Amino acid sequence: MSNKMWGGRFETAPDAIMEEINASIGFDYRFASQDIRGSRAHVAMLAKTGIISTSDAEAIDSGLEEIGREIEAGSFTFSRALEDIHMNVESRLTDLKGANAGRLHTARSRNDQVALDFRLWVRDAIDQLDGQLKELQTILAHRALEFAGAVMPGFTHLQSAQPVTLGHHLLAYVEMMARDRSRFADARRRLNECPLGAAALAGTSFPIDREMTAKALGFDRPTANSLDSVSDRDFVLETLSAAAICAVHLSRFAEEFVLWTTPQFGFVRLSDKFTTGSSIMPQKRNPDAAELVRGKSGRIIGALNGLMIVMKGLPLAYSKDMQEDKEGTFDSLHSLSLCLAAMAGMVRDFVPDLDRMRAAAGSGYSIATDLADWLVRALSLPFRQAHHVTGTLVRIASERQIGLEELSLSDMQGVEPRITAEVFSVLGVESSVASRTSYGGTAPVNVRRQAKRWIAQLQSTT
Ligand code: ARG
């Protein structure tokens, strides 16, 4: 008995375990539409160049179209014995159109076919993620405008540092997401070359037109080296890397929601839609969605790491190890998409407790820098000396467990005699943030301007 896929060279069918370890149809069925699209472009090119007859090409094309419909309708039967999506489609094509269907695979190999399908799939996934990132940026920018003047504590080392505004904080993530989008766009630009026609590894002796298929499939150009075309997975690594960095941003943001929603912080209330209760503790409102966004960064980073390790020892050109490139990628990009959707939901309807945020903004001597800056401006003290004077005043206030603004003028003059009552005008959180008008600073005027700039920019670009 010969093998049903490899024919004459083989005498027996594969072992059941061989079939199990070898098959990729369980996950690469997701390439169905890309596979059919690629094959249709290939067959049109084979006809145009005279490599196969127009009538064979037409029969193959209509068969592929029909298979596409069957898959979409859910009536297609995928077979594990046929290994992967490429063989499944081809086998069905033979059922439908007879032996001439076998002409489709002229001047082509599954090696360039899978490289093509994966590029097409990743390209679509990037476009979808970009749309989601843009959506999240838009929601963030609107909420930033809403809270441009809402004072909250800014932290370094998670210790109260200086007051900032909630709007400013939210816009920080808009900036991060702009860089995420630009990393994805960059990966997309580099991946947009067509590997079809590289065949198994060495190119082909048939007079194919690679420009034609590249153009038909929306690529900028064909890839230039056939060995590289079938062995390169940089386009996946770059995309997974962009995904991992984006997931890290979302994870940090999610962590802030987790902190902010604790009763101890009490800065934010997430809506019921993104919160769960406890089956034993009736008082609990757990930020599960935020925790899961934070947690899913693990598998997203893991997918990048996993594929780096798969690739690092592979000699040119294709090795079957590379079949391991898919599941992690599907999981990573799907998880990221879910995280973006969950974050968008949380950001859209979280309710900040502005009074608590404002009160916390003033605690921990967060306006000490404003006092030091005033000493520099009003008394021309060198900053280091102003820092020292302010430090002494913070110590006195903290010994008495009062705020800096609660010290009397004579308390202050006891440390630096030239201090005047004017100093009290800078000792509030509102005046503190309002004064930070340097470019990129937290002043509400800046935040309003930046939020509006983002909203306009996001509206006007695709
Ligand atoms: N299922 C394979 C993969 O995903 C397709 C390419 C197979 N090529 C080969 N020479 N066996 O990598």
Side-chain angles (χ1 to χ4, degrees):
M1 170 191 135
S2 73
N3 178 292
K4 62 174 172 300
M5 286 192 297
W6 320 125
R9 180 82 171 76
F10 288 76
E11 285 173 5
T12 59
D15 190 273
I17 293 297
M18 176 58 194
E19 191 177 294
E20 187 172 349
I21 196 172
N22 201 33
S24 54
I25 189 63
F27 44 91
D28 68 13
Y29 70 87
R30 290 162 197 259
F31 287 164
S33 73
Q34 288 80 6
D35 201 69
I36 287 167
R37 203 177 152 204
S39 288
R40 294 185 73 183
H42 185 65
V43 79
M45 183 278 291
L46 292 177
K48 168 92 185 314
T49 51
I51 297 169
I52 68 170
S53 72
T54 314
S55 58
D56 282 338
E58 276 167 5
I60 290 170
D61 190 68
S62 72
L64 288 167
E65 198 180 359
E66 190 173 337
I67 295 169
R69 275 196 302 269
E70 289 176 0
I71 293 173
E72 218 159 282
S75 60
F76 189 93
T77 333
F78 292 101
S79 151
R80 197 174 75 170
L82 292 167
E83 241 187 89
D84 58 23
I85 184 65
H86 324 295
M87 305 294 275
N88 268 271
V89 170
E90 193 181 325
S91 159
R92 177 70 185 138
L93 192 62
T94 309
D95 293 347
L96 292 172
K97 302 290 172 179
N100 277 340
R103 298 189 191 280
L104 169 63
H105 214 53
T106 315
R108 189 178 74 167
S109 149
R110 281 187 299 156
N111 297 349
D112 58 343
Q113 206 178 341
V114 75
L116 170 67
D117 292 2
F118 207 3
R119 279 186 196 238
L120 289 171
W121 189 92
V122 169
R123 194 172 69 180
D124 287 348
I126 289 177
D127 291 344
Q128 196 220 313
L129 289 168
D130 184 67
Q132 286 190 274
L133 276 161
K134 183 180 175 188
E135 162 88 6
L136 180 52
Q137 281 185 303
T138 304
I139 299 168
L140 279 165
H142 279 104
R143 299 236 69 189
L145 186 58
E146 187 182 348
F147 300 117
V151 183
M152 67 176 279
F155 301 95
T156 62
H157 313 267
L158 198 55
Q159 306 286 322
S160 292
Q162 292 170 349
V164 295
T165 68
L166 177 56
H168 195 55
H169 196 113
L170 297 177
L171 286 181
Y173 286 99
V174 177
E175 296 288 336
M176 286 179 240
M177 268 141 223
R179 294 195 296 277
D180 291 330
R181 291 179 68 195
S182 120
R183 266 182 286 272
F184 278 120
D186 207 30
R188 190 194 195 285
R189 198 163 39 76
R190 254 189 305 279
L191 80 68
N192 208 31
E193 293 186 347
C194 185
L196 188 61
L201 76 165
T204 174
S205 57
F206 291 98
I208 57 172
D209 182 349
R210 294 193 58 205
E211 295 285 347
M212 180 181 166
T213 40
K215 190 156 170 249
L217 295 166
F219 289 103
D220 296 330
R221 64 191 79 83
T223 50
N225 181 299
S226 61
L227 288 167
D228 181 43
S229 309
V230 293
S231 65
D232 164 47
R233 291 295 181 271
D234 290 6
F235 66 97
V236 192
L237 292 172
E238 285 193 46
T239 305
L240 291 179
S241 163
I245 297 172
C246 179
V248 167
H249 291 154
L250 296 179
S251 179
R252 295 180 70 175
F253 195 10
E255 163 64 9
E256 296 192 311
F257 272 131
V258 172
L259 276 175
W260 293 351
T261 53
T262 56
Q264 290 73 14
F265 267 80
F267 287 0
V268 157
R269 186 179 169 87
L270 289 173
S271 78
D272 289 354
K273 288 188 270 176
F274 290 95
T275 314
T276 62
S278 157
S279 53
I280 175 168
M281 297 164 284
Q283 85 284 10
K284 295 270 274 183
R285 286 177 59 82
N286 295 328
D288 291 34
E291 292 167 85
L292 284 162
V293 169
R294 190 176 60 184
K296 281 181 191 294
S297 62
R299 62 207 285 170
I300 296 171
I301 295 164
L304 169 64
N305 201 11
L307 186 56
M308 288 278 202
I309 296 167
V310 166
M311 295 306 295
K312 77 175 186 61
L314 298 186
L316 301 186
Y318 177 85
S319 297
K320 198 60 173 267
D321 313 47
M322 287 165 71
Q323 184 164 282
E324 293 294 317
D325 58 1
K326 294 170 197 59
E327 288 162 287
T329 306
F330 296 150
D331 185 71
S332 161
L333 302 188
H334 172 71
S335 300
L336 184 61
S337 170
L338 197 54
C339 290
L340 285 166
M343 261 350 248
M346 282 184 271
V347 175
R348 190 178 280 121
D349 60 14
F350 79 87
V351 180
D353 185 333
L354 298 179
D355 292 336
R356 263 191 91 102
M357 280 189 162
R358 194 187 172 287
S363 72
Y365 302 100
S366 65
I367 49 167
T369 316
D370 298 274
L371 174 54
D373 286 351
W374 183 86
L375 294 170
V376 170
R377 260 196 324 273
L379 308 182
S380 297
L381 291 191
F383 183 77
R384 278 290 157 233
Q385 200 177 326
H387 183 283
H388 186 80
V389 169
T390 308
T392 310
L393 289 168
V394 168
R395 182 169 47 73
I396 294 169
S398 103
E399 272 161 17
R400 294 197 218 152
Q401 297 189 18
I402 57 173
L404 276 174
E405 68 288 354
E406 291 169 288
L407 289 172
S408 68
L409 185 56
S410 61
D411 289 335
M412 298 221 192
Q413 288 171 337
V415 177
E416 168 50 65
R418 287 172 296 165
I419 293 178
T420 67
E422 194 201 289
V423 74
F424 291 102
S425 71
V426 301
L427 298 184
V429 287
E430 261 85 19
S431 63
S432 170
V433 293
S435 73
R436 291 202 158 61
T437 52
S438 59
Y439 182 71
T442 197
V445 283
N446 285 11
V447 176
R448 239 166 249 125
R449 192 183 312 118
Q450 290 279 0
K452 285 183 187 157
R453 175 182 69 81
W454 271 117
I455 291 167
Q457 190 175 317
L458 289 160
Q459 255 165 13
S460 70
T461 54
T462 51

